């Protein structure tokens, strides 16, 4: 029998995907982080136009120039991140961008700080690069939001990088400017790379009576930052597998090496769709955000009515709920035809939590909450 490489043996299959293998066909899924909206019609039409024009061949490794120019303009105007179009790479989803980042810069034995709880791909990508993922335990009293105090004592001479994710999957927390700026300074002072996953950037809620919640990119404050963003969540384009990575020139050159030999280039027609998304009308984004907020308010209200302490997340489209015994909750939820995800897959500090996605219809959430009323322990 041929044995797998040790770096692959150290990585587990996604706990999220496993849930769907055992769920019944009638189950309502609150598991996957995929918007249920159709991709806006003007973006779909761009694909039709590209096909009719025969735009079906390889593009530049970096991506079509007009898309990289549009991304550069977006980053400058919205994120205050200066990035030359030549230093921007269009990728096959944010997943490839994350993988590229760890493969290009993490050596065997390097330590990479990752949020705990945090998206399960972070630890996996670090392990596949033969690095060592070091959890940053996030505190409940901070609403599981990363702070500079959480980070500074974990940095040592072996620390190569830190992965940030704001708004955050699975918690829905949004980092504050002072923490983003402080961590950027730590990165500069310690020659540490920041890998910033900003895929949920546009999905932020500001509620009445609260200070306005905003997204801040570390790339605004440090040249040691890699910015990862894309179109999947904002424009309901998950199947297009299209995103981008932006960094200063000397970092971008190394990222391009991995990209060239990993995927060569992103899909030509997906790039045309992304160009239309970023340059076209943005009313569709506002409409989806308003519906996400309506769903968020429903799921939070219903869970609190059941006696679970559930705060309103500031971003993304997840609630992350402390249920005291996640395995039992997941089991009972599944018995009642509702799929939720155990927090154990997101880190050691969240084994008592479950993640529920409200990226499904309002009606599905209503039914799921009715079924979850039968979960008692």
């Amino acid at each position: 029998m041929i044995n797998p490489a040790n770096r692959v043996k150290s990585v587990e299959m996604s706990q999220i995907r496993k849930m769907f293998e055992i769920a019944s066909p009638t189950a309502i899924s609150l598991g996957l982080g995929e918007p249920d909206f159709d991709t806006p019609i003007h973006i779909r039409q761009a694909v039709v136009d590209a096909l009719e024009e025969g735009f079906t061949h390889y593009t530049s490794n970096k991506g079509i120039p007009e898309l990289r120019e549009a991304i550069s303009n977006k980053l400058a105007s919205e994120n205050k991140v200066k990035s030359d179009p030549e230093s921007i790479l269009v990728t096959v989803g944010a997943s490839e961008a994350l993988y590229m980042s760890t493969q290009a810069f993490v050596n065997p034995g390097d330590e990479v700080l990752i949020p705990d709880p945090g998206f399960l791909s972070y630890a996996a990508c670090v392990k596949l690069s033969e690095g060592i993922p070091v959890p940053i335990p996030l505190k409940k009293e901070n609403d599981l939001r990363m702070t500079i105090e959480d980070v500074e004592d974990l940095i040592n001479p072996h620390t190569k990088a830190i992965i940030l994710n704001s708004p955050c999957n699975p918690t829905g927390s949004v980092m504050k400017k002072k923490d983003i700026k402080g961590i950027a300074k730590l990165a500069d002072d310690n020659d540490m790379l920041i890998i910033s996953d900003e895929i949920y950037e546009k999905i932020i809620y500001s509620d009445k009576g609260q200070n306005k919640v905003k997204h801040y990119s570390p790339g605004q404050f440090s040249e040691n930052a890699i910015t990862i963003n894309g179109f999947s969540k904002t424009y309901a384009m998950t199947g297009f597998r299209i995103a981008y990575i932006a960094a200063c020139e000397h970092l971008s050159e190394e990222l391009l090496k991995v990209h060239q030999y990993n995927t060569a280039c992103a899909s030509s027609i997906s790039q045309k769709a992304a160009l239309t998304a970023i340059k076209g009308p943005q009313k569709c984004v506002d409409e989806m955000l308003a519906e996400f907020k309506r769903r968020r308010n429903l799921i939070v209200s219903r869970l609190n009515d059941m006696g679970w302490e559930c705060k309103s997340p500031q971003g993304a489209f997840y609630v992350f709920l402390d249920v005291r015994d996640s395995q039992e909750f997941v089991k009972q939820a599944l018995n009642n035809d509702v799929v939720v995800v155990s927090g154990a897959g997101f880190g050691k500090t969240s084994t008592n939590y479950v993640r529920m996605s409200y990226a499904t219809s309002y009606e599905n959430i209503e039914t799921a909450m009715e079924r979850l009323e039968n979960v008692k322990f």
Side-chain angles (χ1 to χ4, degrees):
M1 183 176 70
I2 299 175
N3 292 320
N6 290 334
R7 60 183 174 274
V8 176
K9 288 169 67 176
S10 69
V11 175
E12 296 182 3
M13 295 292 288
S14 169
Q15 296 296 313
I16 299 173
R17 297 289 176 176
K18 283 182 180 180
M19 293 302 303
F20 299 96
E21 297 175 5
I22 58 176
S24 76
T26 58
I28 292 176
S29 172
L30 303 179
L32 281 181
E34 178 177 32
D36 65 319
F37 306 108
D38 290 332
T39 305
I41 186 64
H42 66 288
I43 298 173
R44 284 181 277 154
Q45 185 60 47
V47 176
V48 175
D49 294 343
L51 288 170
E52 290 181 346
E53 293 166 7
F55 194 74
T56 56
H57 300 280
Y58 289 129
T59 71
S60 160
N61 289 136
K62 294 181 179 181
I64 58 176
E66 56 267 42
L67 177 55
R68 288 185 280 118
E69 181 75 33
I71 292 168
S72 175
N73 291 338
K74 182 265 179 205
L75 289 171
S77 62
E78 296 184 9
N79 304 85
K80 299 181 181 178
V81 173
K82 295 179 181 179
S83 188
D84 188 279
E86 288 301 310
S87 296
I88 292 170
L89 309 178
V90 182
T91 63
V92 183
S95 297
E96 190 212 354
L98 178 64
Y99 179 80
M100 287 162 53
S101 299
T102 53
Q103 289 294 314
F105 297 106
V106 178
N107 287 311
D110 282 346
E111 294 184 1
V112 179
L113 305 181
I114 62 172
D116 183 353
F119 184 45
L120 45 84
S121 288
Y122 301 150
C125 284
V126 173
K127 290 178 181 177
L128 286 170
S129 66
E130 299 187 63
I132 301 170
V134 177
I136 305 169
L138 306 183
K139 298 179 177 63
K140 191 172 184 178
E141 56 265 34
N142 293 329
D143 296 328
L144 301 178
R145 170 181 43 80
M146 189 186 297
T147 68
I148 186 173
E149 290 80 15
D150 295 328
V151 174
E152 51 192 352
D153 290 340
L154 294 175
I155 298 174
N156 65 65
H158 301 289
T159 307
K160 185 64 173 286
I162 180 172
I163 298 178
L164 303 186
N165 178 215
S166 179
C168 175
N169 173 11
T171 68
S173 63
V174 179
M175 292 180 66
K176 294 184 177 181
K177 182 179 181 179
K178 67 180 181 66
D179 295 313
I180 293 280
K181 192 172 183 178
I183 291 171
K185 186 175 188 305
L186 284 177
D188 289 346
D189 292 345
N190 292 277
D191 199 23
M192 179 177 70
L193 182 68
I194 298 175
I195 302 170
S196 182
D197 178 358
E198 304 179 20
I199 197 70
Y200 294 96
E201 171 200 17
K202 296 288 188 179
I203 306 176
I204 289 182
Y205 317 100
S206 288
D207 297 311
K208 292 180 180 179
Q210 293 185 349
N211 294 327
K212 186 173 178 59
V213 182
K214 291 182 64 177
H215 169 78
Y216 296 94
S217 296
Q220 175 184 349
F221 307 110
S222 172
E223 288 193 353
N224 283 355
I226 292 174
T227 302
I228 296 173
N229 209 330
F231 303 86
S232 293
K233 315 298 184 181
T234 301
Y235 300 98
M237 292 173 63
T238 52
F240 287 77
R241 308 311 304 132
I242 192 77
Y244 57 88
I245 191 166
C248 62
E249 183 179 359
H250 75 277
L251 297 177
S252 180
E253 288 177 355
E254 305 308 316
L255 291 164
L256 180 59
K257 294 176 186 177
V258 181
H259 178 62
Q260 280 183 332
Y261 295 109
N262 185 32
T263 58
C265 66
S267 159
S268 59
I269 57 176
S270 291
Q271 291 186 58
K272 285 289 189 178
L275 179 61
T276 296
I278 201 170
K279 295 189 72 174
Q282 301 299 300
K283 183 180 178 182
C284 57
V285 178
D286 296 334
E287 291 172 346
M288 285 188 276
L289 181 61
E291 178 58 17
F292 279 137
K293 185 173 183 178
R294 191 171 80 103
R295 297 173 184 181
R296 180 203 66 164
N297 292 345
L298 170 65
I299 196 170
V300 169
S301 173
R302 293 288 285 110
L303 288 169
N304 279 307
D305 287 346
M306 290 181 223
W308 301 106
E309 183 185 348
C310 183
K311 293 185 177 180
S312 289
Q314 294 180 322
F317 37 65
Y318 310 101
V319 291
F320 203 56
L321 189 68
D322 187 344
V323 295
R324 300 183 296 276
D325 186 341
S326 64
Q327 288 187 332
E328 181 63 22
F329 190 99
V330 169
K331 178 182 175 182
Q332 287 197 35
L334 204 56
N335 288 341
N336 286 279
D337 259 2
V338 179
V339 177
V340 300
V341 180
S342 169
F346 299 102
K348 293 181 179 179
T349 64
S350 53
T351 54
N352 291 336
Y353 287 76
V354 294
R355 190 192 77 173
M356 300 182 195
S357 167
Y358 48 92
T360 186
S361 72
Y362 193 92
E363 293 72 24
N364 275 350
I365 295 170
E366 285 184 313
T367 303
M369 293 301 103
E370 290 172 3
R371 295 177 181 179
L372 289 181
E373 287 180 346
N374 297 317
V375 175
K376 308 287 185 184
F377 61 90

